Amino acid sequence: MSATLWLVATPIGNLGDLQPRALEVLAAADLVCCEDTRRTGLLLHHAGIKAKRMAVCNEHTEHDLIDRVLGVLDGGGDVAVVSDAGTPGVSDPGERLVRAVVETPHAVSAVPGPSAAIMAVTISGLDTSRFVFDGFLPRKGRERAERLADVASERRTTVLYEAPHRALKTLADLAEACGPDRTVVVTRELTKLHEEVVRGCLGASDIGAPRGEYVFVIEGAPVDDTPLTDDDLQSLLTEAIASGMSKRDAAAHVAKETGRSKRDIYQLTLGV
Ligand code: SAM
């Protein structure tokens, strides 16, 4: 393979999940881009290897790293990207480097492996035939209200990341948005000593005092085959507007969710 940018997955907790091919690629790479050189250095040390060169790649530095990465690839060298845990590019740095390299003749490849989202959805017991990864919800305001409304109307299983100090608030907000009966699977500390999976419904999910890292897997919205009346549509519009959307955005949102024409729905907002 020509000069390659490698996205290399690393363990999300259990060091036994570090794969031989990940080690081969990391040892051979001319530059290893990582969020924290100390943390990645220790991981490599644990595996008995050392990176040739390292560079810090985080949300602040990733953009400025592009020229350096392209320079290494232009010189025929390989570059590896790792994050602190899991798969780079999944709620972690990596995407911007990939976007820059796909514009060049150089190759982009991966050593696939652990990702909390994939592990959580596959052990959830919920529908895995179609699912949506929605990362972290915005912390507040209209953006959060809109994303909660999206999760509430999403027919596919939704996977969300959450930090421990926000876990209870997010569960409460999800219960309010989706209703108390929707199934949620709360996964915590995956692959670690205190791994835990709690299955329940949003209204009665008891996760105790939040500790560790969480992934929430939420059942898709129930399919309702009953045709929607104008009153139903008006209620959906009122709900969307109450969540902070403008009439125009609410109409677009309801049209998307119901498959109706945007223009017909906008007419209904005139009565809201
Ligand atoms: N790139 C990573 C991946 O592929 O899973 C995700 C990085 S993101 C910055 C960190 C979030 O992932 C955490 O807040 C948590 O929601 C989730 N996460 C990471 N490791 C986890 C674990 N062992 N158990 C549960 N959730 C985890």
Side-chain angles (χ1 to χ4, degrees), residues 93-109:
E95 182 189 320
R96 277 189 271 186
L97 288 177
V98 171
R99 267 207 244 135
V101 176
V102 295
E103 297 296 325
T104 73
H106 301 304
V108 177
S109 191

Side-chain angles (χ1 to χ4, degrees), residues 12 85 87 90-92 115-116 136 161-162 189-190 213-215:
I12 54 171
T87 299
V90 178
S91 291
D92 265 340
S115 184
F136 290 92
Y161 281 165
E162 196 47 282
E189 296 290 82
L190 295 169
E213 302 192 274
Y214 286 89
V215 184

